[in-house]
Amino acid sequence: MKKLIFVNLKMYLNTIEDIQNYIDNLKNEKDKIVIFPSNIYLYEFIKQNFQIGIQNISSYPKGAHTGCTSALSAKDLGVKYALIGHSELREYEKKDTINQKIKQALNNNLKVVLCIGENLEHYNQNKTKEIIKKQIEIALENIKEQIIISYEPVWAIGTGLTPKKEEIKDIIDYIKSLFNYKIKVLYGGSVSDKNINKLNQISNIDGFLIGSAGVNPNTLKKIIEVTQK
Ligand code: PGA
């Protein structure tokens, strides 16, 4: 089954030349991927008809919030998805911020990709399920609309480490069991062209959220090839 391929470019590409090369190299793949570029380059991708997500949105609708981007402005530009709760931002957020961001996104018809995952200490203490259940409950309080979840163990992000295949399968089954609709669950955290064959065998994965391995178009193409059979 074909998988969803979401690419979080974080702050990896920082010149218009690099962005244009990236776009040129991936123009034949654009129907197979959703790119989350840094805000300043969103429109470059949208102009070229890529499917686009935003890496972060404000928890407020509008107003005096310096440096923030509203969900309305993202939607108005042509953004389709909003990444919310990524661990690189989560540590700076208050308890109810993620819930408010999700509401803003849904109010503006953006599809929400909610990142959840345990840190290494919780993993070692076997508390993964407890942690992610709590993260989901807090994030989705009073929210009934459908979202996408990305399971991203914090200790697997950018480290080259991944949980075992059986562990990922078990956690994804658990996440799916917490919802009363058929939720799509992605896996993220050190997905690369080296491990994609193995990860792609996990039967209940609906797709992947790829960080650093998605920055090089050739590496990304290898990942796409494996996951689109
Ligand atoms: P990584 O990042 O693939 O570089 O580990 C994944 C993510 O942060 O979404």
Side-chain angles (χ1 to χ4, degrees), residues 4 6 36 52-54 57 71 79-86 98-116 139-140 143 145-150 179 181 183-186 209:
L4 300 169
F6 288 9
F36 293 73
I52 288 303
I54 189 161
I57 52 159
V79 169
K80 298 280 183 274
Y81 294 82
L83 198 62
I84 299 179
H86 192 281
I98 290 173
N99 178 266
Q100 288 164 1
K101 287 182 177 183
I102 295 175
K103 287 177 178 159
Q104 287 301 325
L106 293 171
N107 284 344
N108 288 286
N109 295 324
L110 297 175
K111 291 183 187 157
V112 170
V113 184
L114 171 65
C115 300
I116 54 169
L140 296 182
I143 292 172
E145 289 92 335
Q146 299 204 5
I147 60 154
I148 298 169
I149 295 260
S150 187
F179 288 83
Y181 58 89
I183 189 162
K184 290 199 184 331
V185 182
L186 317 176
L209 180 56

Side-chain angles (χ1 to χ4, degrees), residues 8 10 12 86-88 152 156-159 188-191 209-213:
N8 178 8
K10 306 192 180 186
Y12 281 118
H86 192 281
S87 63
E88 285 157 14
E152 306 211 304
I157 295 177
T159 57
S190 293
V191 176
L209 180 56
I210 300 157
S212 57

Side-chain angles (χ1 to χ4, degrees), residues 2-225:
K2 289 186 182 172
K3 306 288 192 320
L4 300 169
I5 299 292
F6 288 9
V7 183
N8 178 8
L9 285 178
K10 306 192 180 186
M11 207 175 70
Y12 281 118
L13 298 175
N14 296 289
T15 65
I16 194 75
E17 192 186 344
D18 282 351
I19 289 291
Q20 271 157 4
N21 284 335
Y22 189 83
I23 289 174
D24 284 349
N25 272 301
L26 288 169
K27 56 174 180 276
N28 294 331
E29 319 293 325
K30 66 180 152 202
D31 296 335
K32 304 170 196 151
I33 51 182
V34 179
I35 307 282
F36 293 73
S38 72
N39 284 1
I40 204 157
Y41 300 126
L42 284 169
Y43 194 55
E44 294 300 320
F45 285 88
I46 288 170
K47 274 194 302 196
Q48 302 293 332
N49 297 317
F50 276 75
Q51 302 180 78
I52 288 303
I54 189 161
Q55 294 178 14
N56 187 24
I57 52 159
S58 176
S59 54
Y60 298 98
K62 64 198 284 197
H65 304 289
T66 303
C68 298
T69 308
S70 69
L72 173 61
S73 63
K75 180 187 104 175
D76 189 50
L77 191 73
V79 169
K80 298 280 183 274
Y81 294 82
L83 198 62
I84 299 179
H86 192 281
S87 63
E88 285 157 14
L89 290 166
R90 203 180 252 277
E91 58 183 304
Y92 305 109
E93 292 176 328
K94 290 198 266 170
K95 197 169 168 230
D96 58 351
T97 308
I98 290 173
N99 178 266
Q100 288 164 1
K101 287 182 177 183
I102 295 175
K103 287 177 178 159
Q104 287 301 325
L106 293 171
N107 284 344
N108 288 286
N109 295 324
L110 297 175
K111 291 183 187 157
V112 170
V113 184
L114 171 65
C115 300
I116 54 169
E118 80 287 0
N119 63 26
L120 189 56
E121 194 186 332
H122 292 135
Y123 174 77
N124 287 332
Q125 293 167 348
N126 224 350
K127 287 190 175 160
T128 299
K129 289 183 182 169
E130 193 185 314
I131 294 295
I132 59 180
K133 183 164 190 268
K134 208 178 286 166
Q135 289 173 339
I136 289 172
E137 277 168 4
I138 294 171
L140 296 182
E141 198 181 333
N142 296 322
I143 292 172
K144 300 262 176 303
E145 289 92 335
Q146 299 204 5
I147 60 154
I148 298 169
I149 295 260
S150 187
Y151 170 52
E152 306 211 304
V154 178
W155 55 273
I157 295 177
T159 57
L161 303 170
T162 59
K164 296 190 194 80
K165 270 194 326 190
E166 308 70 49
E167 290 175 318
I168 297 175
K169 175 161 189 310
D170 182 43
I171 297 298
I172 291 184
D173 272 339
Y174 178 68
I175 294 169
K176 291 188 173 186
S177 77
L178 298 174
F179 288 83
N180 61 9
Y181 58 89
K182 223 168 165 272
I183 189 162
K184 290 199 184 331
V185 182
L186 317 176
Y187 168 78
S190 293
V191 176
S192 72
D193 54 333
K194 307 282 179 301
N195 60 21
I196 190 64
N197 274 300
K198 191 180 81 182
L199 293 171
N200 198 48
Q201 290 164 8
I202 302 171
S203 56
N204 57 358
I205 279 190
D206 296 298
F208 298 95
L209 180 56
I210 300 157
S212 57
V215 179
N216 180 321
N218 292 328
T219 310
L220 182 58
K221 281 182 201 169
K222 286 186 200 158
I223 295 174
I224 295 170
E225 205 189 312

